[in-house]
């Protein structure tokens, strides 16, 4: 009986009362008939008994309906509201109207809940005050680690990632690292396993240098150091991409070997010619030797010139010179400081040596002033696709090309006398020339070949460190069925489609997902992509999710997006609101991307039924309102917004499920299957 819900127990109680009353009436009439002993009265007794039974059963059913609506449902709603406030940090008050027939119970429960909330808030404020200094230190450490010019990855002893910085995220073109995911998704296993085994065996030295290869074919120079926390081991990897440097070294080595081989023949020929020149030769023989000497000399000179040209090309490419991504605002600020003027800059970032570029521009500006061209001197950095232009403009006499060439032949910085302005331009692949500007102004322009838009630069240099050090002390997870819900790795996702039918051929137009690790959302690991449905989007669907045919033009098809999303979901439990629809779409179209979404699944509709009762409303909007989750209007009915809202709802439901004894994945699936009348369980 204890396993039955309150409403079912009350129903059984009234059913027993009704059936008991009917049985009592039938028994009393039977006893009366036997005492009377008149067969003619039998039909009257039967009629009276049936009427009495129907009346008793009807009254029992009617009273049960009233009791169920005003007492049982009210108690369930009151209990779920109190559980929400106690375990999910929901701030809104209890629903007094729903419990108005429960007398003083609702006000008393509200008073208890308010007191609990005030106590919890005071405790949280006290903890926040005490931990503010720790948070400041943590933020400073994050900033330091995120800006280290190397990729840093911290792994547990079972090779799951517990920390990575922004440079590690930007280092890999594909298979980016992710919290609580295997490092072997990103890097080939062999070198890492070998270095880890060597360090654990007690080999000399506290660190091991290694050469890694990423899953996308990059070559990385790395150093591994053992790490220990909470009794569990692990290791730290410091990685640098040496693919370009190694390729350049191999190409230079091959070119040098080829050039030396080509030089050997003319050099040997010259040596032979020189050995016979002193002999007594006929005029024709001497002429032939001179011709041969000239040819061999020309061949040798051609090889030397080829090496010189290759060196010049490498200088112009700047491959040997460090070129970090510099924000345009930093260049603008440097120009203003160096030249004492107001400069402007479009929002962009440049792969360049920021100090050298600013110093060169400032030197040229100072030369303009020295030569009497400083009137109205101004500087600007402008986007000029695919690159950018850095302009110095002034009022007065124009600048001759020969004069500019003379300036560029001088060292741009006294601390680097070997590097001239011309060589600096070559290293950036840049050019410079004087020209007329608008009106009476003249301009000195430096044209830079590459620049990144602000959005691209931010995506490239995602600098936030992503970590959860609790993963280092978490014991090795058991079988997923017996794993605590909080310890599991989830991908909470949503799709937008051309329609609402899995069977009638509607197609996905957007997939978005967020990752939940160790009970928290990882905002740095969001998946969000439009999908080309390869058919037109009906206007009635566009009215809901606002995605048009123009939006998906050029977007990846499901063959590409589905494969990427399957890789994103590797090793995770999938969570969705009304999962049979979203997962049904992906499973139906598995033939397009060649992957099966057979992951474990949790559905927030069914979890809501477990926590709030089957009679409550389980739409995403109703759940969000009940649990205090805000969905911005502009994000509602977008895959990204709904996935984020579902994740927040799911995290609010977790402690409420734990409060009623649902602690493992097996507990959750067992309870959700009791509500199969709502939705099918997909596990």
């Amino acid at each position: 009986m204890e396993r039955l819900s309150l409403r079912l127990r009350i129903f059984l109680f009234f059913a027993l009362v009704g059936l008991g009353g009917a049985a009592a009436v039938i028994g009393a009439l039977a006893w009366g008939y036997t005492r009377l002993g008149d067969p003619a009265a039998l039909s009257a007794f039967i009629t009276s008994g049936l009427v009495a039974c129907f009346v008793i059963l009807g009254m029992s059913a009617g009273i049960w309906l009233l009791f169920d609506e005003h007492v049982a449902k009210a108690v369930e709603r009151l209990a779920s509201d109190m559980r929400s406030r106690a375990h999910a940090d929901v701030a809104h008050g209890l629903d007094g109207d729903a419990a108005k027939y429960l007398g003083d119970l609702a006000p008393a429960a509200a008073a208890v809940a308010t007191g609990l909330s005030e106590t919890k808030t005071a405790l949280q404020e006290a903890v926040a005050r005490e931990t503010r200094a720790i948070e400041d230190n943590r933020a400073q450490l994050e900033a330091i680690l995120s800006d280290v010019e190397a990729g840093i990855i911290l792994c547990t002893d079972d090779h799951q990632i517990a920390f990575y910085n922004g440079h590690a995220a930007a280092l890999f073109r594909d298979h980016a690292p992710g919290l609580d995911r295997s490092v072997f998704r990103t890097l080939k296993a062999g070198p890492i396993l070998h270095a880890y085994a060597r360090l654990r065996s007690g080999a000399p030295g506290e660190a091991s240098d290694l050469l890694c290869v990423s899953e996308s074919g990059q070559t990385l120079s790395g150093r591994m150091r053992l790490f220990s926390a909470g009794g569990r081991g692990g290791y730290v990897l410091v990685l640098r991409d040496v693919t370009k440097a190694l390729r350049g070294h191999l190409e230079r080595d091959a070119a040098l070997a080829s050039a030396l081989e080509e030089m050997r023949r003319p050099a040997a020929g010259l040596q032979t010619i020189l050995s016979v020149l002193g002999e007594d030769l006929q005029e024709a023989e001497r002429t032939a030797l001179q011709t041969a000497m000239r040819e061999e000399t020309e061949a040798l000179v051609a090889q030397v010139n080829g090496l010189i040209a290759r060196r010049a090309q490498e200088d112009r490419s700047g491959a040997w010179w460090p070129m970090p991504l510099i924000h345009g605002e930093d260049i603008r600020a440097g120009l203003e400081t160096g030249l004492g003027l107001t400069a402007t800059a479009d929002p962009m970032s440049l792969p360049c040596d920021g100090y050298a570029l600013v110093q060169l521009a400032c030197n040229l500006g100072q030369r303009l002033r020295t030569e009497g061209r400083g009137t109205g001197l101004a500087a600007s950095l402008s986007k000029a696709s695919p690159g950018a232009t850095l302009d110095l403009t002034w009022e007065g006499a124009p600048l001759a090309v020969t004069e500019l060439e003379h300036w560029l032949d001088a060292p741009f910085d006294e601390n680097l006398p070997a590097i001239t302005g011309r060589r600096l331009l070559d290293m950036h692949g840049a050019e410079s020339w004087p020209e007329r500007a608008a009106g009476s102004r003249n301009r000195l322009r430096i044209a830079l070949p590459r620049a990144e838009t602000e959005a691209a630069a931010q995506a490239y240099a995602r600098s936030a460190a992503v970590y959860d050090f609790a993963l280092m002390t978490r014991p090795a997870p058991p079988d997923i069925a017996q794993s605590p819900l909080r310890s599991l790795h989830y991908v909470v996702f949503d799709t937008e489609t051309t329609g609402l039918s899995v069977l009638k051929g509607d197609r996905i137009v957007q997939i978005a997902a967020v990752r939940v690790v160790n009970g928290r959302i990882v905002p740095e690991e969001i998946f969000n992509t439009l999908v080309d449905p390869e058919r037109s989007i009906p206007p009635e669907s566009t009215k809901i999710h606002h995605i048009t045919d123009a939006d998906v033009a050029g977007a990846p098809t499901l063959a590409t997006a589905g494969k990427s999303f399957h890789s994103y979901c590797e090793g995770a439990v999938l969570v969705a609101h009304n999962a049979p629809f979203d997962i049904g779409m992906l499973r139906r179209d598995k033939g397009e991307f060649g992957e099966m979404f057979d992951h474990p699944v949790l559905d927030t509709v069914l979890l809501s039924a477990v926590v709030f009762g089957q009679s409550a409303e389980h739409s995403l909007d109703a759940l969000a309102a009940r649990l205090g989750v805000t969905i911005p209007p502009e994000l509602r009915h977008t895959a990204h917004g709904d996935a984020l809202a579902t994740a927040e709802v799911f995290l609010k439901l977790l402690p409420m499920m734990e409060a009623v004894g649902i602690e493992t994945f097996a507990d959750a699936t067992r309870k959700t299957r009791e509500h199969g009348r709502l939705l099918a369980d997909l596990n």
Side-chain angles (χ1 to χ4, degrees):
M1 289 292 290
E2 291 180 356
R3 295 181 60 185
L4 301 179
S5 68
L6 173 65
R7 293 180 63 204
L8 182 56
R9 279 182 280 169
I10 290 175
F11 170 76
L12 293 176
F13 171 77
F14 279 99
L16 184 61
V17 168
L19 293 174
V25 168
I26 292 172
L29 288 174
W31 181 77
Y33 174 73
T34 57
R35 293 292 302 268
L36 182 63
D38 183 4
L42 179 60
S43 60
F45 272 87
I46 292 174
T47 302
S48 300
L50 289 173
V51 170
C53 287
F54 278 121
V55 169
I56 291 172
L57 292 174
M59 289 180 62
S60 298
I63 296 172
W64 166 74
L65 285 172
L66 291 172
F67 204 87
D68 180 68
E69 183 64 33
H70 299 301
V71 177
K73 286 185 179 180
V75 169
E76 279 192 345
R77 283 194 289 267
L78 191 62
S80 63
D81 282 352
M82 292 186 68
R83 196 175 292 118
S84 300
R85 289 173 68 97
H87 301 291
D89 294 328
V90 175
H92 62 70
L94 300 180
D95 188 357
D97 291 337
K100 60 185 177 182
Y101 294 103
L102 299 181
D104 289 336
L105 180 59
V112 171
T114 301
L116 175 64
S117 178
E118 291 174 351
T119 302
K120 185 184 259 187
T121 301
L123 179 61
Q124 289 173 342
E125 290 176 351
V127 171
R129 285 194 300 271
E130 296 299 323
T131 58
R132 192 166 291 122
I134 298 175
E135 288 295 313
D136 290 342
N137 291 338
R138 180 183 63 81
Q140 292 171 5
L141 180 61
E142 280 185 29
I144 293 171
L145 289 174
S146 65
D147 287 331
V148 171
E149 290 290 336
I152 301 176
I153 301 177
L154 171 64
C155 297
T156 63
D157 55 3
D158 55 353
H159 311 289
Q160 298 296 110
I161 296 174
F163 169 97
Y164 63 90
N165 66 346
H167 287 281
L171 200 57
F172 302 99
R173 292 186 291 271
D174 302 306
H175 305 288
L179 275 190
D180 201 24
R181 308 189 80 186
S182 173
V183 71
F184 301 140
R185 287 188 66 260
T186 303
L187 298 168
K188 299 287 187 183
I192 294 174
L193 292 174
H194 176 76
Y196 188 48
R198 176 183 174 278
L199 289 174
R200 292 189 68 184
S201 68
E206 298 180 352
S208 178
D209 293 322
L210 65 157
L211 202 62
C212 306
V213 179
S214 73
E215 287 294 334
S216 56
Q218 295 163 276
T219 304
L220 302 112
S221 169
R223 167 163 283 217
M224 178 186 290
R225 187 178 296 275
L226 292 182
F227 183 90
S228 179
R232 285 192 70 184
Y235 54 90
V236 179
L237 280 172
V238 180
L239 302 168
R240 288 180 172 83
D241 189 352
V242 295
T243 308
K244 186 176 180 180
L246 185 60
R247 184 184 299 118
H249 175 77
L250 292 175
E251 289 176 354
R252 284 192 298 272
D253 187 65
L256 181 60
S258 175
L260 290 175
E261 184 64 31
E262 291 294 326
M263 288 179 187
R264 181 184 301 172
R265 187 188 60 78
L270 285 174
Q271 186 178 23
T272 303
I273 293 169
L274 290 173
S275 66
V276 300
L277 273 178
E279 299 178 4
D280 187 16
L281 300 173
Q282 298 294 327
E283 184 64 28
E285 292 174 333
R286 186 175 298 279
T287 302
L289 283 175
Q290 289 175 346
T291 301
M293 181 182 292
R294 185 168 55 254
E295 290 175 351
E296 298 294 2
T297 303
E298 289 174 353
L300 194 58
V301 169
Q303 291 298 328
V304 172
N305 287 339
L307 284 176
I308 294 173
R310 181 179 177 84
R311 173 62 187 273
Q313 183 181 2
E314 289 182 354
D315 280 354
R316 286 193 297 273
S317 70
W320 60 278
W321 190 266
M323 295 289 180
L325 206 60
I326 304 298
H327 200 290
E329 279 297 304
D330 295 335
I331 295 175
R332 181 197 60 78
L335 292 172
E336 289 186 347
T337 302
L339 292 173
L341 47 72
T342 300
T344 61
D346 291 343
M348 72 178 89
S349 291
L350 302 169
C352 66
D353 180 342
Y355 166 76
L357 186 63
V358 169
Q359 196 70 12
L360 175 62
C362 290
N363 281 355
L364 293 174
Q366 295 295 352
R367 294 295 293 267
L368 288 171
R369 283 174 172 162
T370 303
E371 299 295 331
R373 298 183 179 91
T375 305
L377 186 64
S380 63
L381 181 66
S382 306
K383 188 80 176 72
S385 184
T389 57
L390 196 163
D391 292 335
L392 298 174
T393 60
W394 68 92
E395 296 278 355
L399 177 65
V401 173
T402 53
E403 193 171 4
L404 174 61
E405 293 290 342
H406 176 68
W407 293 356
L408 291 176
D409 287 337
F412 86 99
D413 189 327
E414 62 182 12
N415 296 318
L416 296 170
I419 300 180
T420 64
R422 170 59 60 194
R423 192 173 186 197
L424 181 64
L425 291 176
D426 288 342
M427 288 186 300
H428 286 81
E431 296 180 1
S432 181
W433 64 87
E435 63 182 17
R436 294 287 297 178
S440 60
R441 296 181 68 81
N442 285 282
R443 173 166 52 218
L444 171 57
R445 168 159 289 181
I446 299 174
L448 298 157
R450 290 191 301 137
E452 302 280 355
T453 63
E454 196 59 27
Q458 290 176 357
Y460 172 80
R462 187 179 72 176
S463 59
V466 183
Y467 62 90
D468 189 338
F469 292 121
L471 296 173
M472 295 298 299
T473 58
R474 186 185 68 184
D479 175 76
I480 187 171
Q482 303 307 318
S483 296
L485 289 171
R486 283 187 181 273
S487 71
L488 292 174
H489 164 203
Y490 301 95
V491 166
V492 188
F493 80 103
D494 185 58
T495 63
E496 297 298 335
T497 60
T498 59
L500 299 176
S501 174
V502 176
L503 300 178
K504 293 182 179 180
D506 283 313
R507 303 279 292 174
I508 293 173
V509 298
Q510 187 183 21
I511 307 173
V514 297
R515 204 182 300 283
V516 174
V517 175
N518 222 20
R520 71 178 184 91
I521 295 172
V522 185
E524 296 85 0
E525 296 182 17
I526 289 175
F527 184 95
N528 187 12
T529 182
L530 292 170
V531 181
D532 184 355
E534 300 180 281
R535 52 163 287 188
S536 61
I537 302 174
E540 55 270 21
S541 298
T542 296
K543 288 179 182 178
I544 297 173
H545 49 54
H546 308 296
I547 298 173
T548 65
D549 291 332
D551 294 327
V552 299
T557 63
L558 190 60
T560 301
K563 198 171 188 67
S564 298
F565 183 55
H566 188 273
S567 175
Y568 179 85
C569 297
E570 182 181 342
V573 176
L574 298 184
V575 179
H577 193 79
N578 189 17
F581 176 76
D582 299 292
I583 295 182
M585 284 283 192
L586 294 170
R587 289 181 177 176
R588 182 199 67 187
D589 296 329
K590 63 182 183 294
E592 294 190 33
F593 46 85
E595 303 287 355
M596 181 62 184
F597 281 85
D598 53 2
H599 306 63
V601 179
L602 289 177
D603 193 320
T604 48
V605 173
L606 295 175
L607 296 179
S608 172
V610 169
V611 171
F612 297 113
Q614 195 159 303
S615 62
E617 187 179 352
H618 305 300
S619 69
L620 184 57
D621 287 314
L623 268 177
R626 192 179 303 141
L627 295 172
V629 173
T630 302
I631 308 177
E634 66 274 12
L635 291 181
R636 185 66 178 104
H637 293 300
T638 68
H640 178 208
D642 288 356
L644 190 58
T646 303
E648 293 182 11
V649 163
F650 175 69
L651 290 177
K652 296 273 189 179
L653 290 172
L654 273 182
M656 300 174 68
M657 290 191 291
E658 292 170 343
V660 295
I662 303 172
E663 297 182 347
T664 67
F665 185 79
D667 295 336
T669 53
R670 186 181 66 252
K671 294 298 290 185
T672 55
R673 282 169 182 158
E674 295 175 5
H675 298 275
R677 189 164 60 88
L678 281 176
L679 288 174
D681 178 76
L682 298 181
N683 293 288

